Amino acid sequence: MSGYKRAQMESISRISSLLESARELTLDAASAARSSSRGVSKPLDRGQIKKLLDSRNEREVLDGLRRIISMMYRSQKTLPYFSSIVKNVASSNLEIKKLVYIYLTHHAEQDPDMTLLSINTIQKSLSDSNPQVRALALRTMSNIRVPVISQIVSLAIKKGVGDMSPYVRRAAALAIPKCYRLDPGQLPQLVDYLSALLADRQYYVAGAAVTAFMEICPERLDLIHKHYRSLIKKVVDMDEWSQLSTLKLMTIYARKCFPRRTKPAQSSTKPADLQDFYAENGPQPSPDSETAVPILDPDLELLLGAIKPLLQSRNSAVVVAVARVYSAVGTPPYLQQAIGPLIALLRGPQDIQQIALFNIVSICLATPASFVRHASHFLIRATDSHPVWQLKLELQTLIFPHSPAATKSLILNELEHFSRGTDKILVREAVRAIGRCAQSDSATAPRCLRLLLGQITSLDGTLAAESLTVIRHLIQQDPTAHGTTTVVRLARNLDSATDPNARATIIWLVGEFAGLGRGGEDNIAADVLRILLKGFGDEDEVAKRQVVLLGAKVYLHYLNRVSEEGAAAVKRGEGEGEGEGFGEVVAVPGAPKLLEDDDHPIAKLWRYVLSLVRYDTSYDLRDRTRLYKALLGVPQLATLMLLAPKPAPQAPSPSETRKGFVLGSAALVLADGGVGVHGLRGYEPLPEWVKEGEEPDPKLREGEVQAGGAAASYAGERKAVGVVVSAAEKLDGMAGVSAGSGSGAGTPAWRANGAAPGVGAKTLDDWLAEEEGGDEEEESEETEEESEEEEEDDEDGEEEEGDEEEESEDDDERAENARLVS
């Protein structure tokens, strides 16, 4: 009966406990539903929140902490609750512990004395059985920015480096930069810990170690040599942030450790006939076909091949980082593989499109022909923002000279369409793009010129001015092809051109080219000047300046023509005077007259210009005119100053100012408007290639391949820095278990290395089986030695001593093996 009562009581207690759990779950669900329906929980006063924090019920403490964290992120005062929150740091509830740690991290600097009271409790959590708690405690200690605890944080990192859980070791790696920022004096110890973590067999631990390495000691490449190959094998499995750090590290490492070697390559050979085919030397290459082909180091090829799968990454930054590696240390075939994934980024959001286009333009400046087949991706969409379509227009002009005829026609139709739009910025950029296309491909220059000439009569002054500026550039590049006919057509449109800048450009072109287009009296410059002087007072000042310059050039042409006629007359003998004696003055009939005495129409026009400007209100215009008048007093000097040939202007791509910046860097996006490298803080250019003969010894990268497997190497490094090594790792190291990235824990080394059993490292079972077989062989050898002892007495003593020593050593080894197995 007592047993029945006992069982009944146990059932009742079990049911009551289940009911209590169900009650708590019901209350939590009701609270969650209430908060989701109302949006926010009901605010409580300070006393009620402290009551929740001091409660013994974990659910109420958790509710109070959630309210505190919510207040903290709304920038409300939560420091008065510090003492009540710190008391819960020793709670066994993981959720409570997380919220307390978040609060401590946020308020540690405001109340460091109170924070130090909780350090001992956090240190005890480093020995918790739950690896998540250990990692959380280590992360919290490193986030508390109080310099007094730097030594304690360093010891916590040391303990975390030797932890059995890779999750904790990763937290230790991420804590190293925080400890360094807290106390830079801890760098030697932190570098030792980092060296051990770089050899970790878990890819997410090694990736975090690389991130820490790039922050605290990026110049210590000697730590990377023996881990180079293992890091390359692990980079595909790392998280995105670790992949970015590893790719940046490998780019710098390749520049500093692999010299740039090239060899001459024969791209083509001369066609050989049948006799040359059977000749001893074979077909001879043509000497003009030699080009330099880079020779890649085997370890560099390993890097370039291992990161190829990262081109399919979901993270756009990783794709750009791989393209940076291929561009900085790879060869053109590798860079070709990155172009497609970069183009695929244009299907993403607007911000990713813009960043991707900056990097695409940077690569296209070097190899524009590679992007011709992707021309359709550079067409402008209605939803594109201004920076996006500006970069697309630039890409269209870059690939234009390398495109086939159909693609060129498509690009010109696109540019013509947008040059007639309503957006003034887009119109201006489209017109400039047409000009760049005409400059880069002379075959399409006539069509581009026709498109631009059709825009000068537009009512939009901005469009007309931009079109005339581009036309001026085209005429200056080839004056003989476009000078006379184009300038005459422009002069006919002076009446319809209303924009002052457009009129000034046409007048300058007339004075620069039309006066030289026809000789003698027959030229349009003087007629254009005559027409313009009728409405001189109504012109804008910028147009008046060009009218005065046109008058000076027309009068200078007249003076030069008169001088040439006089020189020709003297040469023909028409300049003989009345006397024939030596030293008599000879009158030249063609000598130029003074301006006041000259009745030629051109001289009258120039005098009229001087009269009009004399009474103009602009002092700048009056000064310019006086300068021209004085300059024309010496026609030879005026010819050098006014009629000198002008260099043809070039319209470079807008991204030429960004050329040379590292792909994926912020400087590549921000460097605009002439901002150079020195105007951007924090930019780090890629190092120069190491000179051949100064590179590190390639054998240093073989340091990770040691007897006993990678586990033994990793355990040895951790032991060297004073880190506690687990018994399992010691056993793996002695038994030769391979712990490399390519094989999991417990895999025999001969399987990981591809060797046959019995060759190289063996498992513990194989080793023990070999020892048992060795004992039987020793017994047979002993019987043979006994028979030999009966024949030779002198050798018996020596062999017996050797046998006793071997038996004692075998006994010691068997005892040690039995101890390890037990």
Side-chain angles (χ1 to χ4, degrees):
M1 192 68 179
S2 60
Y4 174 75
K5 289 183 178 180
R6 191 181 302 108
Q8 189 176 13
M9 294 296 294
E10 292 178 356
S11 301
I12 293 174
S13 62
R14 191 181 300 111
I15 292 172
S16 61
S17 63
L18 291 175
L19 290 175
E20 182 66 23
S21 301
R23 177 177 175 275
E24 292 182 358
L25 291 174
T26 304
L27 291 175
D28 291 340
S31 176
R34 221 174 17 252
S35 62
S36 62
S37 61
R38 297 179 182 178
V40 293
S41 56
K42 182 180 179 181
L44 301 178
D45 57 12
R46 181 175 176 180
Q48 291 175 328
I49 293 178
K50 280 197 171 185
K51 184 177 180 181
L52 291 175
L53 296 174
D54 296 335
S55 175
R56 295 185 177 181
N57 191 341
E58 292 184 351
R59 183 173 55 81
E60 294 181 352
V61 174
L62 191 60
D63 184 26
L65 286 172
R66 287 172 178 169
R67 293 176 181 271
I68 293 295
I69 299 300
S70 177
M71 294 169 58
M72 184 177 70
Y73 286 115
R74 290 200 301 266
S75 301
Q76 298 180 6
K77 293 183 179 180
T78 55
L79 190 59
Y81 304 100
F82 202 105
S83 58
S84 300
I85 293 177
V86 168
K87 292 187 297 184
N88 296 297
V89 73
S91 176
S92 58
N93 191 313
L94 184 59
E95 295 296 326
I96 293 177
K97 193 180 292 291
K98 287 181 179 179
L99 295 178
V100 173
Y101 285 167
I102 291 173
Y103 182 86
L104 286 176
T105 302
H106 192 270
H107 292 286
E109 295 184 40
Q110 300 178 12
D111 194 352
D113 296 333
M114 188 68 71
T115 304
L116 293 177
L117 298 178
S118 61
I119 294 298
N120 291 333
T121 306
I122 298 176
Q123 277 187 293
K124 292 179 182 178
S125 299
L126 295 173
S127 303
D128 195 274
S129 58
N130 189 350
Q132 189 176 3
V133 175
R134 299 198 300 271
L136 184 62
L138 180 57
R139 190 181 303 115
T140 304
M141 288 187 65
S142 62
N143 286 334
I144 295 177
R145 295 178 294 273
V146 180
V148 182
I149 66 170
S150 61
Q151 294 285 348
I152 301 176
V153 175
S154 179
L155 293 175
I157 293 174
K158 178 180 179 180
K159 189 173 183 180
V161 171
D163 198 279
M164 293 287 293
S165 172
Y167 184 72
V168 181
R169 297 201 298 273
R170 183 176 184 273
L174 296 175
I176 288 177
K178 301 174 184 177
C179 182
Y180 174 72
R181 290 194 294 266
L182 195 64
D183 184 10
Q186 300 287 335
L187 182 61
Q189 295 88 347
L190 297 177
V191 170
D192 292 339
Y193 304 152
L194 194 58
S195 179
L197 290 171
L198 286 171
D200 200 283
R201 58 189 174 186
Q202 297 293 340
Y203 57 86
Y204 45 88
V205 179
V210 171
T211 303
F213 174 85
M214 293 301 295
E215 184 166 349
I216 69 170
C217 56
E219 71 284 350
R220 289 289 306 275
L221 294 181
D222 56 299
L223 301 176
I224 306 297
H225 292 317
K226 55 186 175 180
H227 310 305
Y228 173 80
R229 295 173 184 171
S230 64
L231 289 175
I232 288 176
K233 295 176 183 177
K234 297 170 187 173
V235 68
V236 179
D237 298 321
M238 294 179 183
D239 60 278
E240 285 87 352
W241 294 109
S242 300
Q243 287 173 351
L244 293 175
S245 300
T246 305
L247 291 173
K248 182 179 179 181
L249 170 63
M250 291 307 168
T251 306
I252 299 174
Y253 184 91
R255 286 273 190 146
K256 290 187 176 182
C257 299
F258 302 120
R260 196 66 165 175
R261 300 186 180 95
T262 58
K263 66 176 181 179
Q266 312 297 335
S267 60
S268 63
T269 59
K270 294 188 297 183
D273 55 10
L274 191 60
Q275 294 180 356
D276 292 335
F277 180 79
Y278 289 102
E280 293 181 359
N281 297 330
Q284 299 296 327
S286 58
D288 298 335
S289 62
E290 294 184 358
T291 56
V293 176
I295 303 175
L296 297 180
D297 189 275
D299 284 331
L300 181 56
E301 284 186 329
L302 179 64
L303 168 65
L304 298 176
I307 64 177
K308 182 180 178 181
L310 295 181
L311 291 173
Q312 310 301 326
S313 175
R314 61 183 178 181
N315 192 313
S316 57
V318 175
V319 178
V320 174
V322 175
R324 179 182 64 228
V325 176
Y326 285 161
S327 175
V329 301
T331 56
Y334 283 105
L335 186 59
Q336 291 289 334
Q337 298 175 2
I339 291 177
L342 285 175
I343 298 296
L345 297 179
L346 300 181
R347 304 189 187 101
Q350 289 283 344
D351 52 349
I352 294 180
Q353 285 187 39
Q354 183 178 352
I355 302 301
L357 282 170
F358 276 113
N359 292 275
I360 291 173
V361 170
S362 181
I363 299 176
C364 191
L365 287 172
T367 57
S370 303
F371 293 87
V372 172
R373 57 177 180 166
H374 304 288
S376 60
H377 293 85
F378 306 143
L379 300 179
I380 300 175
R381 300 179 181 178
T383 57
D384 289 339
S385 60
H386 279 197
V388 170
W389 58 250
Q390 283 179 351
L391 292 168
K392 286 186 176 181
L393 285 178
E394 184 176 359
L395 283 169
Q396 292 179 16
T397 58
L398 287 175
I399 67 175
F400 183 81
H402 307 277
S403 302
T407 306
K408 289 181 179 179
S409 178
L410 175 64
I411 293 175
L412 289 178
N413 291 336
E414 179 90 352
L415 297 177
E416 181 183 5
H417 169 74
F418 287 108
S419 66
R420 297 174 179 175
T422 56
D423 190 346
K424 292 186 177 181
I425 300 178
L426 181 56
V427 167
R428 183 180 69 245
E429 294 299 329
V431 170
R432 291 178 179 177
I434 292 175
R436 291 198 298 271
C437 291
Q439 291 180 0
S440 60
D441 187 6
S442 58
T444 58
R447 179 181 176 183
C448 295
L449 193 59
R450 287 195 300 271
L451 293 177
L452 296 171
L453 288 173
Q455 308 290 346
I456 61 176
T457 57
S458 174
L459 298 178
D460 187 358
T462 303
L463 175 59
E466 289 294 336
S467 300
L468 285 169
T469 302
V470 176
I471 290 172
R472 176 171 61 85
H473 292 175
L474 295 178
I475 294 176
Q476 286 185 261
Q477 283 189 340
D478 192 0
T480 58
H482 308 291
T484 305
T485 57
T486 306
V487 172
V488 171
R489 181 175 177 180
L490 291 174
R492 292 173 181 171
N493 291 286
L494 266 175
D495 295 336
S496 59
T498 57
D499 185 74
N501 293 318
R503 292 181 63 84
T505 302
I506 296 176
I507 297 170
W508 184 89
L509 287 171
V510 170
E512 187 70 16
F513 298 105
L516 298 177
R518 301 177 184 179
E521 301 286 341
D522 188 16
N523 62 73
I524 66 169
D527 291 335
V528 172
L529 177 62
R530 178 180 57 81
I531 296 171
L532 290 172
L533 290 179
K534 294 179 180 179
F536 183 82
D538 300 329
E539 295 283 353
D540 195 83
E541 184 176 352
V542 64
K544 287 181 180 180
R545 295 173 185 172
Q546 298 302 324
V547 171
V548 174
L549 180 60
L550 174 62
K553 289 181 179 181
V554 169
Y555 183 63
L556 180 59
H557 281 301
Y558 163 71
L559 294 178
N560 291 337
R561 189 166 57 253
V562 171
S563 299
E564 291 175 0
E565 291 176 355
V570 171
K571 187 175 181 180
R572 291 193 305 266
E574 296 177 358
E576 296 180 355
E578 297 178 356
E580 298 179 357
F582 178 78
E584 295 180 357
V585 178
V586 178
V588 179
K593 302 177 182 179
L594 295 176
L595 180 61
E596 293 77 7
D597 301 334
D598 197 347
D599 293 333
H600 194 277
I602 294 180
K604 293 181 179 180
L605 283 175
W606 177 239
R607 287 201 300 268
Y608 186 52
V609 170
L610 296 178
S611 301
L612 290 174
V613 177
R614 183 177 181 181
Y615 300 102
D616 196 87
T617 57
S618 174
Y619 65 88
D620 180 64
L621 187 62
R622 295 195 301 270
D623 291 343
R624 285 173 181 266
T625 307
R626 282 193 290 267
L627 175 63
Y628 294 150
K629 181 180 178 181
L631 196 60
L632 289 173
V634 186
Q636 294 82 1
L637 182 60
T639 302
L640 293 176
M641 298 291 293
L642 300 180
L643 303 182
K646 279 69 174 181
Q650 298 295 328
S653 183
S655 293
E656 287 289 340
T657 56
R658 303 186 185 95
K659 200 171 184 179
F661 287 98
V662 180
L663 289 180
S665 62
L668 184 65
V669 179
L670 300 177
D672 195 5
V675 177
V677 178
H678 301 289
L680 298 172
R681 295 182 179 180
Y683 174 75
E684 297 179 0
L686 288 176
E688 297 294 333
W689 288 95
V690 64
K691 296 181 180 179
E692 191 168 1
E694 299 180 2
E695 71 274 12
D697 189 357
K699 295 182 180 179
L700 294 175
R701 290 186 285 275
E702 300 175 359
E704 61 182 354
V705 183
Q706 300 176 357
S713 172
Y714 172 56
E717 289 203 20
R718 294 168 67 189
K719 185 177 180 181
V721 298
V723 179
V724 179
V725 183
S726 62
E729 291 173 344
K730 290 181 180 178
L731 187 61
D732 291 344
M734 296 182 64
V737 177
S738 174
S741 61
S743 59
T747 304
W750 60 267
R751 291 180 182 173
N753 299 331
V759 179
K762 304 178 181 60
T763 62
L764 184 60
D765 297 335
D766 296 337
W767 186 43
L768 294 177
E770 183 181 2
E771 291 294 333
E772 293 176 358
D775 295 339
E776 297 177 356
E777 294 177 357
E778 290 176 359
E779 292 177 358
S780 61
E781 291 177 358
E782 290 177 359
T783 57
E784 294 177 358
E785 290 175 356
E786 290 176 357
S787 62
E788 292 177 357
E789 288 174 0
E790 295 176 355
E791 297 177 357
E792 299 178 0
D793 295 334
D794 295 337
E795 297 179 356
D796 286 343
E798 296 176 358
E799 291 181 358
E800 286 177 358
E801 291 177 0
D803 293 338
E804 290 176 359
E805 292 176 359
E806 290 178 359
E807 289 175 0
S808 62
E809 291 176 0
D810 293 338
D811 293 336
D812 294 339
E813 290 178 1
R814 282 193 289 271
E816 181 66 19
N817 293 336
R819 184 181 66 80
L820 289 174
V821 173
S822 61

